[in-house]
Amino acid sequence: MKTAFRGTLLASAPLLATLPLIVDTSARAYSATPTTDATCVLRGHGVFTGAVDAGGTNLPVPDTLAMTGTVTCVDPAGAPVASGTFERTVTMPATECTGDEHGDTSTTTVHWSDKTTSTFKFDKTDVVKVNGTASLVVSGEVTGDSAEFAGDTLKAVGTSYGAGCGTPAGETALDSTLVLRLTH
């Protein structure tokens, strides 16, 4: 009986010895950390098509936000790499002064100071808003035909603030700052 047990254990030993090598190889293949190409700050001003929370209703309603602003980008060492202006139109299925807004998508066109352009596609924007102040979490990509950062993945966080929530006029405009990390 001892011999059978010992034989099974010895026969399995070569297989068990190779298991760490297989695990280690696959772990290394999937643990590649993305390389940061730039960190960009977008500062913008936006105007809503329809006032949000006019009269203090705070009901989620479809709306459109047209934004313009500036963008500055630095490399991982903090050295300036690009700057320019941007424009973006955000179609929101349900916006309100206080609440969660999810799934907004938009395209940001960046006009670099060297007269070239890049397109940032925001595939997902999560917004949590309280009385006109919002936290933003964004993910997306830079289109492959862009002059700067083509094909990069983008992740961003930011804030926005708009006055007028709960007033008869409602929130008609906002200012926002969004910090993007561009990686490949």
Side-chain angles (χ1 to χ4, degrees), residues 114-132:
D114 67 359
K115 307 295 183 212
T116 61
T117 61
S118 289
T119 304
F120 296 175
K121 291 185 70 165
F122 295 172
D123 299 328
K124 183 176 181 183
T125 304
D126 290 334
V127 180
V128 178
K129 200 169 177 185
V130 178
N131 293 327

Side-chain angles (χ1 to χ4, degrees), residues 18-40:
T18 60
L19 188 57
L21 295 174
I22 295 168
V23 171
D24 186 49
T25 303
S26 65
R28 274 188 260 142
Y30 294 106
S31 67
T33 303
T35 301
T36 299
D37 290 325
T39 300
C40 301

Side-chain angles (χ1 to χ4, degrees), residues 75-87:
D75 67 15
V81 292
S83 64
T85 60
F86 76 89
E87 61 204 36

Side-chain angles (χ1 to χ4, degrees), residues 69-181:
T70 61
V71 58
T72 55
C73 301
V74 296
D75 67 15
V81 292
S83 64
T85 60
F86 76 89
E87 61 204 36
R88 169 177 56 236
T89 301
V90 184
T91 303
M92 297 168 286
T95 187
E96 56 191 318
C97 278
T98 298
D100 294 348
E101 303 167 20
H102 300 284
D104 305 337
T105 60
S106 64
T107 299
T108 300
T109 303
V110 178
H111 303 279
W112 301 109
S113 57
D114 67 359
K115 307 295 183 212
T116 61
T117 61
S118 289
T119 304
F120 296 175
K121 291 185 70 165
F122 295 172
D123 299 328
K124 183 176 181 183
T125 304
D126 290 334
V127 180
V128 178
K129 200 169 177 185
V130 178
N131 293 327
T133 300
S135 66
L136 314 166
V137 178
V138 179
S139 60
E141 66 182 6
V142 181
T143 61
D145 60 349
S146 294
E148 296 283 341
F149 315 113
D152 274 8
T153 297
L154 68 85
K155 294 191 184 285
V157 294
T159 59
S160 70
Y161 174 76
C165 289
T167 67
E171 180 184 22
T172 58
L174 60 78
D175 294 302
S176 74
T177 301
L178 192 62
V179 179
L180 288 83
R181 181 175 171 226

